[in-house]
Amino acid sequence: MSTGTIQPASDLFAEPRPIEALGDLFANLWQVCYVTPDLDRGMKELHDLFGIENATEVPTEGAIFRKGGEQVEWNPRVAMGARGGLIIELIEPVSGEVEFYRRFLPKDDGAVLGLHHLAVLVPLGDEEWSSVEKLVNAHGLSFQYTIEIPERARLAYVDTSAMLGHYIELCQLQPADTEFFSGLIAESA
Protein backbone atom coordinates (compact mmCIF):
# COMPACT_ATOMS: atom_id res chain seq x y z
CA MET A 1 0.00 0.00 0.00
CA SER A 2 1.43 3.38 -0.96
CA THR A 3 1.71 6.30 1.42
CA GLY A 4 -1.47 8.35 1.44
CA THR A 5 -3.74 5.48 0.41
CA ILE A 6 -6.76 5.17 2.64
CA GLN A 7 -8.29 1.71 2.81
CA PRO A 8 -11.74 1.52 4.42
CA ALA A 9 -12.77 -1.52 6.39
CA SER A 10 -13.84 -3.77 3.53
CA ASP A 11 -15.09 -6.78 5.46
CA LEU A 12 -16.65 -5.18 8.54
CA PHE A 13 -20.05 -6.65 7.66
CA ALA A 14 -18.86 -9.94 6.20
CA GLU A 15 -20.56 -13.11 7.45
CA PRO A 16 -19.94 -13.04 11.23
CA ARG A 17 -17.80 -15.71 12.83
CA PRO A 18 -19.94 -18.47 14.39
CA ILE A 19 -20.22 -17.90 18.14
CA GLU A 20 -19.24 -20.98 20.11
CA ALA A 21 -17.44 -19.23 22.98
CA LEU A 22 -17.81 -15.72 24.42
CA GLY A 23 -14.40 -14.83 22.99
CA ASP A 24 -15.79 -15.33 19.47
CA LEU A 25 -17.82 -12.16 20.01
CA PHE A 26 -14.68 -10.02 19.75
CA ALA A 27 -13.98 -11.35 16.23
CA ASN A 28 -17.29 -9.78 15.16
CA LEU A 29 -16.68 -6.27 16.56
CA TRP A 30 -18.14 -3.56 14.32
CA GLN A 31 -18.98 -0.61 16.59
CA VAL A 32 -17.79 1.27 19.69
CA CYS A 33 -20.37 3.30 21.60
CA TYR A 34 -19.86 6.26 23.90
CA VAL A 35 -22.46 7.96 26.07
CA THR A 36 -22.54 11.72 26.40
CA PRO A 37 -24.51 14.23 28.48
CA ASP A 38 -24.91 16.41 25.34
CA LEU A 39 -25.15 14.78 21.89
CA ASP A 40 -24.34 17.97 19.99
CA ARG A 41 -21.23 18.57 22.10
CA GLY A 42 -20.24 14.91 21.77
CA MET A 43 -20.55 15.07 17.97
CA LYS A 44 -18.41 18.24 17.97
CA GLU A 45 -15.78 16.49 20.10
CA LEU A 46 -15.67 13.54 17.68
CA HIS A 47 -15.29 15.97 14.79
CA ASP A 48 -12.77 18.39 16.30
CA LEU A 49 -10.53 15.94 18.19
CA PHE A 50 -10.87 12.71 16.24
CA GLY A 51 -11.72 13.87 12.71
CA ILE A 52 -15.02 12.00 12.54
CA GLU A 53 -16.68 14.43 10.18
CA ASN A 54 -19.84 12.51 9.33
CA ALA A 55 -21.45 11.88 12.73
CA THR A 56 -25.17 11.97 11.99
CA GLU A 57 -28.11 11.90 14.38
CA VAL A 58 -30.35 8.94 13.63
CA PRO A 59 -34.01 8.45 14.61
CA THR A 60 -35.09 6.00 17.30
CA GLU A 61 -38.82 6.15 16.48
CA GLY A 62 -40.28 2.73 15.82
CA ALA A 63 -37.72 0.89 17.93
CA ILE A 64 -39.21 -1.52 20.49
CA PHE A 65 -37.18 -1.44 23.71
CA ARG A 66 -37.58 -4.14 26.34
CA LYS A 67 -36.16 -4.66 29.80
CA GLY A 68 -36.31 -8.31 30.81
CA GLY A 69 -38.84 -8.99 28.07
CA GLU A 70 -41.24 -6.18 29.07
CA GLN A 71 -41.63 -3.20 26.74
CA VAL A 72 -40.64 0.03 28.49
CA GLU A 73 -40.25 3.70 27.60
CA TRP A 74 -36.79 4.53 26.23
CA ASN A 75 -35.81 7.93 24.88
CA PRO A 76 -32.20 8.50 23.91
CA ARG A 77 -30.69 10.71 21.23
CA VAL A 78 -28.36 8.68 19.00
CA ALA A 79 -25.70 9.56 16.43
CA MET A 80 -23.50 7.39 14.23
CA GLY A 81 -20.26 8.17 12.41
CA ALA A 82 -17.07 6.60 11.12
CA ARG A 83 -13.57 7.35 9.92
CA GLY A 84 -12.70 4.54 7.55
CA GLY A 85 -13.29 1.73 10.01
CA LEU A 86 -15.46 0.86 12.97
CA ILE A 87 -18.72 2.71 13.45
CA ILE A 88 -18.68 5.14 16.37
CA GLU A 89 -22.04 5.54 18.11
CA LEU A 90 -22.95 8.32 20.54
CA ILE A 91 -25.91 8.09 22.90
CA GLU A 92 -27.35 10.89 25.01
CA PRO A 93 -29.70 9.39 27.63
CA VAL A 94 -32.79 11.61 27.74
CA SER A 95 -35.65 9.87 29.58
CA GLY A 96 -37.29 6.56 30.32
CA GLU A 97 -35.17 3.44 30.87
CA VAL A 98 -31.77 5.10 30.36
CA GLU A 99 -30.03 4.74 33.74
CA PHE A 100 -27.88 1.94 32.33
CA TYR A 101 -26.45 4.59 29.98
CA ARG A 102 -26.18 7.34 32.60
CA ARG A 103 -23.98 5.28 34.90
CA PHE A 104 -21.24 5.43 32.21
CA LEU A 105 -21.39 9.21 31.70
CA PRO A 106 -18.05 10.91 32.37
CA LYS A 107 -17.55 11.86 36.02
CA ASP A 108 -15.22 14.77 35.14
CA ASP A 109 -17.19 17.96 34.37
CA GLY A 110 -14.93 18.70 31.39
CA ALA A 111 -15.24 15.27 29.80
CA VAL A 112 -17.97 14.62 27.25
CA LEU A 113 -17.60 10.93 26.29
CA GLY A 114 -17.78 7.74 28.37
CA LEU A 115 -17.36 4.22 26.97
CA HIS A 116 -20.65 2.30 27.11
CA HIS A 117 -20.44 -0.77 24.88
CA LEU A 118 -18.73 -2.68 22.14
CA ALA A 119 -21.16 -3.92 19.49
CA VAL A 120 -20.65 -7.30 17.84
CA LEU A 121 -22.41 -9.01 14.97
CA VAL A 122 -24.37 -12.21 15.48
CA PRO A 123 -25.21 -14.37 12.45
CA LEU A 124 -28.79 -13.82 11.25
CA GLY A 125 -31.61 -16.16 12.24
CA ASP A 126 -33.70 -17.13 15.26
CA GLU A 127 -31.66 -20.28 15.88
CA GLU A 128 -28.39 -18.34 15.98
CA TRP A 129 -29.94 -15.71 18.29
CA SER A 130 -31.22 -18.38 20.69
CA SER A 131 -27.87 -20.15 20.63
CA VAL A 132 -26.02 -16.98 21.60
CA GLU A 133 -28.54 -16.26 24.35
CA LYS A 134 -28.01 -19.78 25.77
CA LEU A 135 -24.23 -19.27 25.66
CA VAL A 136 -24.55 -15.92 27.45
CA ASN A 137 -26.89 -17.49 30.06
CA ALA A 138 -24.48 -20.41 30.61
CA HIS A 139 -21.91 -17.86 31.79
CA GLY A 140 -24.26 -16.24 34.31
CA LEU A 141 -25.13 -13.35 32.03
CA SER A 142 -28.37 -12.37 30.28
CA PHE A 143 -29.97 -10.23 27.62
CA GLN A 144 -30.72 -7.43 30.07
CA TYR A 145 -32.22 -5.13 27.45
CA THR A 146 -33.34 -5.85 23.89
CA ILE A 147 -34.22 -3.59 21.00
CA GLU A 148 -36.08 -4.51 17.85
CA ILE A 149 -36.07 -2.15 14.91
CA PRO A 150 -38.50 -3.73 12.45
CA GLU A 151 -36.88 -4.79 9.16
CA ARG A 152 -33.51 -3.39 10.33
CA ALA A 153 -32.03 -4.89 13.48
CA ARG A 154 -32.36 -7.07 16.57
CA LEU A 155 -30.12 -6.02 19.46
CA ALA A 156 -29.39 -7.18 23.01
CA TYR A 157 -27.36 -5.54 25.74
CA VAL A 158 -25.35 -7.87 27.97
CA ASP A 159 -23.95 -6.28 31.14
CA THR A 160 -20.29 -7.27 31.19
CA SER A 161 -19.27 -4.17 33.16
CA ALA A 162 -18.12 -6.14 36.22
CA MET A 163 -15.68 -8.09 34.01
CA LEU A 164 -14.83 -5.68 31.20
CA GLY A 165 -15.93 -2.24 32.38
CA HIS A 166 -18.61 -1.91 29.68
CA TYR A 167 -21.61 -3.60 28.10
CA ILE A 168 -21.53 -5.79 25.01
CA GLU A 169 -24.27 -5.21 22.47
CA LEU A 170 -25.20 -8.22 20.34
CA CYS A 171 -26.51 -7.26 16.88
CA GLN A 172 -28.30 -8.96 14.05
CA LEU A 173 -28.33 -6.39 11.26
CA GLN A 174 -30.51 -6.69 8.18
CA PRO A 175 -29.19 -5.49 4.79
CA ALA A 176 -30.83 -2.05 5.20
CA ASP A 177 -28.65 -1.36 8.25
CA THR A 178 -25.42 -2.84 6.88
CA GLU A 179 -25.91 -0.72 3.75
CA PHE A 180 -26.42 2.41 5.88
CA PHE A 181 -23.33 1.74 7.98
CA SER A 182 -21.22 0.73 4.97
CA GLY A 183 -22.22 4.07 3.42
CA LEU A 184 -21.07 5.94 6.52
CA ILE A 185 -17.69 4.24 6.29
CA ALA A 186 -17.35 4.81 2.54
CA GLU A 187 -18.20 8.50 2.91
CA SER A 188 -15.80 9.02 5.81
CA ALA A 189 -12.30 10.42 5.63
Side-chain angles (χ1 to χ4, degrees), residues 64-137:
I64 301 164
F65 185 84
R66 291 183 175 91
K67 177 181 182 181
E70 180 181 329
Q71 189 170 341
V72 295
E73 181 185 348
W74 168 77
N75 296 304
R77 288 181 66 203
V78 179
M80 304 283 186
R83 187 171 174 92
L86 296 177
I87 298 296
I88 304 299
E89 179 179 30
L90 289 180
I91 297 176
E92 176 188 343
V94 177
S95 64
E97 185 64 41
V98 294
E99 189 57 38
F100 78 108
Y101 294 129
R102 285 191 178 127
R103 70 182 240 230
F104 291 91
L105 287 170
K107 307 298 184 235
D108 177 353
D109 288 340
V112 69
L113 304 174
L115 177 64
H116 185 263
H117 68 258
L118 301 180
V120 299
L121 293 174
V122 172
L124 292 174
D126 293 338
E127 186 176 319
E128 288 80 358
W129 190 255
S130 293
S131 176
V132 172
E133 185 172 21
K134 287 176 189 169
L135 176 67
V136 165
N137 293 160

Side-chain angles (χ1 to χ4, degrees), residues 29-45:
L29 180 64
W30 71 279
Q31 179 200 87
V32 177
C33 177
Y34 296 93
V35 290
T36 179
D38 180 332
L39 189 70
D40 297 316
R41 190 170 153 222
M43 290 168 59
K44 182 173 177 14
E45 184 109 337

